[in-house]
Amino acid sequence: MDWSKTLNLPQTDFPMRANLPRKEPEILKFWDEIGLYRLVQQKTAGRPKFILHDGPPYANGHIHLGHALNKVLKDIIIKYYSMSGYDAPYVPGWDTHGLPIEQQAIKALGINRHAVGPVAFRRHCKEYALKFVDIQREEFKRLGVRGDWAHPYLTLLPEYEARQIEVFGEMAKKGYIYKGLKPVYWCASCETALAEAEVEYAEVESPSIYVAFAVVDGKGFLPPGTAVVIWTTTPWTLPANVSVCLHPDFVYVVVRVDGKRYVVARELLPAFLKVLGKTGVVEAEYKGQELEGVRLQHPFLERESLVVLDTYVTLEQGTGCVHNAPGHGEEDFVTCKRYGLPVLSPVDGRGYFTAEGGPFAGVFYREANPLIIEELKRRGALLSAGRVRHQYPHCWRCKKPVFYRATEQWFASIDGFREAALQAIQEVKWIPAWGEERIYNMVAARGDWCISRQRLWGVPLPIFYCEGCGKPIINDATITHLKALFQQHGSDVWYSAPVEELLPPGLACPACGGTVFKKENDTMDVWFDSGSSHWAVLRQPSPWPDQDWPADLYLEGSDQHRGWFNSSLSTAVAVTGKPPYRAVLTHGFVVDEQGRKMSKSLGNVVDPLRVIEQLGADILRLWVCSADYRGDLAASDNILKQIAEAYRKIRNTFRFLLGNLYDFDPQAPVAYNQLPEIDRYILHRLEQLKRRVLQAYQEYEFHVVYHAIHSFCVLDLSAFYLNVLKDRLYCEHPDAPARRATQTVLYEILGTLLRLLTPVLAFTTEEIWRYVPVAGEKLPSVQLLDLPPLRDDYLDAALEGRWERLLAVREAVLEALERARQEKRIGDSLEARVELYAGDELREFLQEAVAELKMICIVSDLAVVPDGPPPEDGVVRGDLVVRVTRAIGTKCARCWMYSESVGASPEYPDICARCAAVVGALAVER
C-alpha cells in the first residue's frame, strides 16, 4: 500500500521558486489597478500624522544604488508607520533646476545656449528634466516604493516656485538678503558661483613655490635688500596680490643666506633652509606686529604690496608670511578690506585672465602657473619650486577644480539667524547622534550663503533695479505680485514678459522715486530651491493636502548635513524661527566588498536595475536591511547572492507554513490554554521576536529586523519547531487535537511574520497574502493590514526557563546522535534509542519530560535510566551522560519510527499501532 496517501503532507500552490523578475511587475500592475496608495490613505485617514519629507533627487540620469538604498529605507519607514496606527502619506519629489540639466539639455539636444533665447532654452531644459522624472519615477516604483506617484512635487512646478519666492521675500524683509562683492567658489567650466555645499575635495598635484617680495620701505626695522618670503601652491593668484599677511604674535627673523636677507617665521626657519639646501645666520628678530605697514615690491608687476596682520596665519607649513590676493581668498578678502586695500579679481567667468592680469591676459588661469613661475625665475624672485600633493576643492557637478573669485553676488546672511539655527539644531533628534555635532559645527562656522547663480535654468531672483539710481527693489508688494504671476504662469514669465508686466501697479523706487526698472538676470542656488521644499510642499494645501509642517523625519545620506539638511534649516529658521524637521536620520554610502567607493573606472559599480532584472527588487530591499545602513553599506555580486540565499530560506519557511495550513479553519483555532507546551513555548519565542522587531522598526534599526527574522526562521523554526513537529503534522489524524494545536500556532506564526516583513519584502509578502486563509472578508492587499498586536499572554518566563533546559539536553543528545552516525551505528536519528543518565535533581526533571525529549530529539525511543553507573562511551555534559543504541523493534512503513508494535494489527501488519489506529479511522470516515 502507498502509505504516503494516508499522510497529511503539505499542499500549497505557493511556488518554491520565487521568479521575482517576472512576478514583481505583475504585482506592480495589481497595485496600480486597485489604487493601493489611495486605499492605504483612506484606511489611515484620521489617524495621527507621520510626515517623512522626501529629499528630492536630481532629475538627471537613471537611478543608481545609492538612490535605491535611500528610497527603500524611506519606503520601509512609511509602511511601518502606516501599519502602526499612523497616517503616513508619502509625496516623492524631484530637484529639477540647475546646471547639470542645462549641460545635459545642451548635449542631448545639440543646442547652443547662447544662440537660443532664454524662453526656448528653458523649455528644452524643462523637457529634459520631465523626461527623467518619468524615467526615475518608473524605476523607483519598480523598487516597490509606495507613494503618491501621480502627484509628486517638482521644484519647477508653478505652485512650488511661488512658495519659494515667498521664502525669499520673507528673508529679504527680515534683512537677511544682501548684495555684495565677496570671493565665492567659482567653477570656470560651469561659469557660475557655487555654494559651499556644491564643493567637494579631491587630491591634486600643484606647484609649491617660495617667492621673495623685496622690501621698499622697512619702517626702520628691515634694511634695504631684505625680502619677505611667501609660499604658495597657486602661483596664478600672484597677479592679484596686494599684501603679505603676518601673525601679530609670531616671532619673525631676518636671516642672511649667501649674502641675501630673508624674513620668515622663526619656527619655520629650519624647514625653509632645508628647502633652499642652505645654512643661514639670524641677524634680527621682530614680533609680527612690529612689521605692520612695511611696504614691499610686487615680484613682477609695477605696484607695491603692504605687510598686514591677522591671526589666521599658522605655523603648519610655508614661511608664516601669507600672500594675500583678496579677489581669490576669503580670509585675504576680510583682512585686506580691513586695511582698505583694493580687491583685484583679474580672472573672468570662464577662467581667463583679463587685462588686469598684465602680461598673462588671455591665458587660462591654471595654464598661467608655469608662465608665472618662469617670470619669477627671470626676475630673481623665485627661491624654490617643487610639486606638492594636497586636497583641493572641485565642483561636485562637473568634477573640475574650482577657485575663489570676487564678484558681486547675492547672499543670505547666516549671521542674521545663526544663533537661532544653532538653538534649533538642539531641538531636533539626530540619528545617529553624532549628526548633531556635525551640523552644529558646520552652521557655527558657516560663512554667508551665496544664493545667486549665473544660469538660465532655475528660479530667477525676484529683484528689480531702479534704472535711475541702481538700487535693488525687494518688498512685500513686488513679492506678492510676482508670487501670483509665478503661481499662474511659472517662473518662465520672468523671461517671457516685459519688465512692466512684472511690476506691481504704481511701484516707485523708495530711494529716488524712479518708475523705470530692470530685472535681475541671475537665478537662485538650487540648494535654495530644495531648501524651500518644507515651505513649498508641507505648507501647501493644494496639490498636497495631506502634508503637515514640520516634518517628522528627513532621511538622506550623511553628506546632506552640509547640503539639504543645512539649506532647509536655514530657510526654515530664517522664516519661522523653528527647524523644519523633528528628527533627521542619515545613512552611509554604498561601497564594494573592500570598502572602496563605487566607480566605473574600478569596475565595481552595482547597477540596481540589473539586480532587479536578474534577482528581483525584493533581494535589493532585503540587502538594504542586511547591515547597519548608518555606516557605509557594502554591495557586490557575491553579497547579493548571499542575500538571495537568505531570502530563499525565509521564502521556504513561508511555503512550509502555508503547505501545512491547507485544511485549517482560521475560525476554529485551538485556545491558548489547550495548546501543548512546545506550542506555547514557540509562541513565547514568537512574541519575543515580535517585540524585538517592532522596537527595531521604531528605532530605525532595520538590520536588527532582518537578522532577528532570519534567525527565527532558520533556528527557531526550520532547525527546531517545524522539524520536530513534522510527525505530528503528517502522521496524526487530520483532526487530532495536537495537530490542530500545531496548525493554530503555524497560522499565528504565518500572520505575524507576514506582517513584520511587509515593510521590507513588499512583493513577496503580497504574493504570500494571496495564499493565506482568512476568517471573514479578505483585504485586497497585505499593505492594508496592521502590524501584529502585542500579546502579553504569550509571554511565560517559567515556560521559557523549562524549555531552555530541555533544549540544552537536546543539544547533548544531538551531539551523541552525530557521533553514533559517524561511527556507523545508526543512519537516521529514528534508528536510535537514547538513554539519559543524570544526578538526582536533573533525573527527576528529565523523567517528567520524556515525551517532549523524545519528540524534540526525533528518536524512536528515549529513556531516563533510574539508577546505575553511566556508560563510559557516553557523551558527557555536566552531570548528564547520553548513550545512543539502536532502537528496538521494526521500522513503521508509514511514520518510519521503530516500534515493537509494528505487526500487531492484522489488517495493517507493516505499520505501528499509532499509525494503524489513524489509518483505520480514516478508512471508516471514507
Side-chain angles (χ1 to χ4, degrees):
M1 182 174 179
D2 184 359
W3 296 114
S4 66
K5 294 180 179 178
T6 70
L7 298 173
N8 313 307
L9 295 176
Q11 298 177 33
T12 180
D13 292 329
F14 180 66
M16 181 183 296
R17 286 180 58 83
N19 201 1
L20 294 175
R22 182 181 64 80
K23 284 181 187 165
E24 289 174 345
E26 297 171 3
I27 293 171
L28 278 174
K29 184 180 177 185
F30 165 72
W31 287 338
D32 281 342
E33 288 171 349
I34 66 172
L36 178 60
Y37 180 78
R38 176 182 52 82
L39 291 178
V40 172
Q41 289 310 111
Q42 288 174 353
K43 173 208 164 188
T44 60
R47 292 178 173 183
K49 292 274 189 187
F50 179 86
I51 304 297
L52 189 160
H53 183 42
D54 190 33
Y58 212 69
N60 181 21
H62 293 273
I63 68 170
H64 53 65
L65 199 57
H67 287 124
L69 168 63
N70 179 264
K71 277 295 193 283
V72 169
L73 285 172
K74 290 173 180 173
D75 189 55
I76 290 170
I77 292 170
I78 291 293
K79 284 172 178 161
Y80 162 71
Y81 274 99
S82 69
M83 296 177 72
S84 301
Y86 289 86
D87 174 10
Y90 176 58
V91 176
W94 273 274
D95 203 344
T96 51
H97 287 133
L99 177 65
I101 288 173
E102 280 197 23
Q103 291 174 326
Q104 291 301 320
I106 291 168
K107 182 178 175 182
L109 302 172
I111 57 178
N112 181 346
R113 173 193 166 189
H114 302 288
V116 178
V119 175
F121 180 74
R122 284 170 59 87
R123 185 182 71 249
H124 288 308
C125 291
K126 180 178 180 179
E127 289 168 356
Y128 181 88
L130 291 177
K131 170 188 171 182
F132 275 98
V133 166
D134 289 339
I135 288 171
Q136 290 186 5
R137 176 178 12 219
E138 293 309 308
E139 292 169 348
F140 287 140
K141 288 172 68 176
R142 183 62 185 85
L143 288 167
V145 177
R146 187 185 75 213
D148 193 359
W149 296 109
H151 306 100
Y153 81 83
L154 313 179
T155 57
L156 59 70
L157 291 175
E159 52 266 49
Y160 188 104
E161 294 176 327
R163 294 288 276 183
Q164 181 176 331
I165 66 164
E166 184 179 47
V167 171
F168 180 87
E170 285 297 309
M171 292 177 68
K173 185 163 66 175
K174 293 182 178 183
Y176 300 148
I177 304 296
Y178 69 92
K179 190 174 190 178
L181 174 69
K182 289 177 69 174
V184 295
Y185 283 118
W186 189 274
C187 178
S189 175
C190 302
E191 296 182 52
T192 188
L194 301 174
E196 288 178 18
E198 296 172 301
V199 172
E200 58 187 21
Y201 283 79
E203 190 175 83
V204 297
E205 186 178 80
S206 299
S208 170
I209 64 171
Y210 289 78
V211 181
F213 279 65
V215 172
V216 174
D217 179 358
K219 298 295 182 184
F221 293 105
L222 302 180
T226 305
V228 175
V229 181
I230 66 97
W231 168 76
T232 183
T233 58
T234 53
W236 67 267
T237 60
L238 286 169
N241 173 275
V242 296
S243 68
V244 173
C245 188
L246 312 185
H247 194 291
D249 301 325
F250 292 170
V251 175
Y252 290 84
V253 298
V254 177
V255 58
R256 181 184 287 273
V257 179
D258 289 346
K260 295 181 180 178
R261 295 186 182 92
Y262 302 117
V263 176
V264 297
R266 184 175 64 189
E267 298 290 327
L268 292 168
L269 176 59
F272 172 63
L273 293 174
K274 185 177 179 181
V275 167
L276 297 184
K278 306 280 187 180
T279 58
V281 177
V282 174
E283 293 187 342
E285 291 187 354
Y286 302 102
K287 273 288 193 75
Q289 58 195 3
E290 295 179 89
L291 301 179
E292 182 180 21
V294 166
R295 291 187 294 116
L296 311 172
Q297 176 61 46
H298 190 285
F300 54 79
L301 294 175
E302 296 307 315
R303 65 167 180 262
E304 293 182 356
S305 295
L306 186 71
V307 171
V308 297
L309 303 178
D310 214 325
T311 55
Y312 72 80
V313 178
T314 72
L315 297 172
E316 291 177 6
Q317 55 190 347
T319 65
C321 309
V322 178
H323 137 62
N324 273 185
H328 298 303
E330 275 191 303
E331 292 162 328
D332 309 36
F333 177 84
V334 172
T335 302
C336 293
K337 187 176 181 182
R338 197 171 71 244
Y339 281 87
L341 295 171
V343 176
L344 305 182
S345 188
V347 178
D348 67 17
R350 296 180 303 120
Y352 288 87
F353 275 101
T354 63
E356 207 173 18
F360 310 106
V363 179
F364 187 64
Y365 78 102
R366 288 202 307 275
E367 293 172 2
N369 280 333
L371 303 179
I372 289 171
I373 292 171
E374 188 58 38
E375 181 66 12
L376 290 168
K377 189 185 299 182
R378 189 178 71 80
R379 290 176 175 261
L382 183 69
L383 303 183
S384 174
R387 307 288 292 178
V388 62
R389 295 198 68 81
H390 63 131
Q391 294 291 310
Y392 192 82
H394 288 67
C395 172
W396 77 338
R397 297 298 190 193
C398 71
K399 308 303 181 186
K400 300 284 180 62
V402 300
F403 61 98
Y404 274 110
R405 177 172 179 252
T407 59
E408 277 208 326
Q409 301 288 340
W410 284 94
F411 295 88
S413 170
I414 303 300
D415 276 340
F417 51 84
R418 190 187 310 276
E419 289 307 314
L422 294 175
Q423 177 60 40
I425 288 168
Q426 296 174 316
E427 298 170 9
V428 175
K429 182 178 182 181
W430 299 90
I431 313 165
W434 53 257
E436 178 174 350
E437 183 180 2
R438 186 177 189 191
I439 194 168
Y440 189 96
N441 291 338
M442 286 179 173
V443 171
R446 184 178 182 182
D448 286 351
W449 178 8
C450 177
I451 58 172
S452 50
R453 294 293 179 273
Q454 292 65 52
R455 313 305 308 173
L456 269 176
W457 180 231
V459 177
L461 283 163
I463 301 165
F464 299 103
Y465 295 93
C466 175
E467 288 276 25
C469 67
K471 291 288 178 65
I473 313 293
I474 318 166
N475 57 38
D476 281 346
T478 62
I479 293 296
T480 300
H481 187 71
L482 287 172
K483 182 184 171 187
L485 289 175
F486 279 31
Q487 183 91 36
Q488 183 178 358
H489 305 289
S491 60
D492 276 351
V493 71
W494 187 260
Y495 300 92
S496 62
V499 67
E500 293 77 18
E501 294 179 17
L502 301 174
L503 298 170
L507 181 68
C509 174
C512 71
T515 57
V516 180
F517 301 91
K518 63 180 179 180
K519 298 178 281 189
E520 170 63 65
N521 292 320
D522 287 354
T523 55
M524 291 194 214
D525 175 16
V526 290
W527 287 109
F528 201 100
D529 289 22
S530 59
S532 302
S533 64
H534 63 89
W535 194 260
V537 179
L538 304 187
R539 300 188 78 144
Q540 181 123 240
S542 175
W544 307 292
D546 51 0
Q547 297 295 292
D548 200 12
W549 195 99
D552 291 286
L553 185 68
Y554 273 35
L555 191 170
E556 303 299 331
S558 56
D559 58 336
Q560 294 307 312
H561 288 112
R562 69 173 187 145
W564 189 53
F565 302 154
N566 206 316
S567 60
S568 299
L569 180 75
S570 296
T571 57
V573 170
V575 172
T576 72
K578 294 291 183 181
Y581 34 66
R582 293 189 174 97
V584 173
L585 176 61
T586 55
H587 60 77
F589 300 101
V590 178
V591 296
D592 67 10
E593 280 183 285
Q594 285 76 48
R596 299 175 301 178
K597 185 179 177 180
M598 291 192 175
S599 69
K600 291 179 181 178
S601 61
L602 289 175
N604 61 352
V605 174
V606 175
D607 179 3
L609 302 176
R610 184 179 62 85
V611 174
I612 290 171
E613 188 180 308
Q614 294 177 351
L615 297 174
D618 265 359
I619 303 302
L620 264 184
R621 294 177 68 94
L622 198 59
W623 164 77
V624 168
C625 293
S626 65
D628 190 348
Y629 61 84
R630 290 169 296 190
D632 289 342
L633 207 62
S636 67
D637 289 342
N638 182 51
I639 288 171
L640 290 168
K641 284 176 185 175
Q642 294 171 24
I643 298 296
E645 178 59 22
Y647 169 87
R648 186 186 64 80
K649 290 178 180 177
I650 293 171
R651 183 181 181 90
N652 285 345
T653 300
F654 277 108
R655 190 168 188 272
F656 184 95
L657 295 170
L658 290 168
N660 284 285
L661 292 169
Y662 67 90
D663 62 342
F664 177 69
D665 181 2
Q667 298 187 78
V670 176
Y672 176 79
N673 59 8
Q674 295 177 337
L675 296 175
E677 259 197 22
I678 189 172
D679 298 308
R680 285 186 282 120
Y681 170 69
I682 206 67
L683 285 178
H684 171 86
R685 293 287 295 151
L686 181 69
E687 187 63 21
Q688 288 179 319
L689 170 75
K690 183 198 304 178
R691 290 168 188 245
R692 188 179 184 202
V693 167
L694 291 178
Q695 182 180 356
Y697 273 127
Q698 183 69 35
E699 296 174 354
Y700 307 125
E701 293 185 333
F702 305 132
H703 62 293
V704 174
V705 173
Y706 163 79
H707 288 290
I709 292 177
H710 180 257
S711 176
F712 184 79
C713 289
V714 172
L715 301 179
D716 291 82
L717 296 182
S718 297
F720 172 57
Y721 183 70
L722 302 182
N723 193 32
V724 304
L725 288 182
K726 285 178 181 175
D727 179 79
R728 185 195 288 181
L729 286 167
Y730 300 168
C731 300
E732 294 291 348
H733 187 280
D735 292 326
R739 182 171 181 272
R740 292 302 185 202
T742 299
Q743 286 185 308
T744 298
V745 173
L746 294 185
Y747 189 74
E748 183 73 8
I749 293 171
L750 172 66
T752 299
L753 291 181
L754 181 67
R755 287 164 172 80
L756 291 179
L757 278 169
T758 294
V760 177
L761 297 179
F763 295 99
T764 302
T765 53
E766 190 69 75
E767 182 189 4
I768 292 167
W769 178 239
R770 296 173 177 177
Y771 298 90
V772 176
V774 299
E777 184 180 355
K778 190 171 187 177
L779 293 169
S781 171
V782 71
Q783 293 182 33
L784 295 169
L785 301 176
D786 282 334
L787 287 165
L790 300 181
R791 292 288 301 267
D792 291 339
D793 55 324
Y794 285 176
L795 294 176
D796 189 332
L799 182 69
E800 180 182 35
R802 171 175 159 76
W803 273 84
E804 284 180 352
R805 201 170 181 190
L806 288 173
L807 290 173
V809 174
R810 177 176 181 259
E811 286 300 312
V813 171
L814 294 181
E815 183 182 340
L817 290 171
E818 181 58 31
R819 181 188 293 182
R821 193 177 288 112
Q822 291 176 359
E823 293 172 355
K824 310 296 185 186
R825 291 189 284 122
I826 62 167
D828 187 83
S829 65
L830 289 174
E831 296 177 14
R833 165 187 165 83
V834 172
E835 295 173 356
L836 302 177
Y837 299 78
D840 293 343
E841 190 275 332
L842 178 58
R843 183 169 64 247
E844 184 179 340
F845 171 76
L846 296 175
Q847 286 171 337
E848 295 173 356
V850 168
E852 286 100 334
L853 286 167
K854 176 176 176 289
M855 172 181 60
I856 66 177
C857 295
I858 316 179
V859 294
S860 290
D861 192 18
L862 183 143
V864 179
V865 180
D867 50 28
E872 294 182 359
D873 61 346
V875 170
V876 180
R877 277 285 179 276
D879 60 349
L880 173 68
V881 178
V882 183
R883 181 174 180 234
V884 174
T885 62
R886 283 196 67 83
I888 301 169
T890 307
K891 182 179 181 180
C892 172
R894 182 171 179 270
C895 70
W896 295 2
M897 284 196 184
Y898 285 76
S899 172
E900 292 181 280
S901 70
V902 173
S905 169
E907 192 173 357
Y908 307 112
D910 53 350
I911 60 176
C912 67
R914 188 272 305 259
C915 286
V918 172
V919 172
L922 291 172
V924 170
E925 292 167 8
R926 291 196 185 95

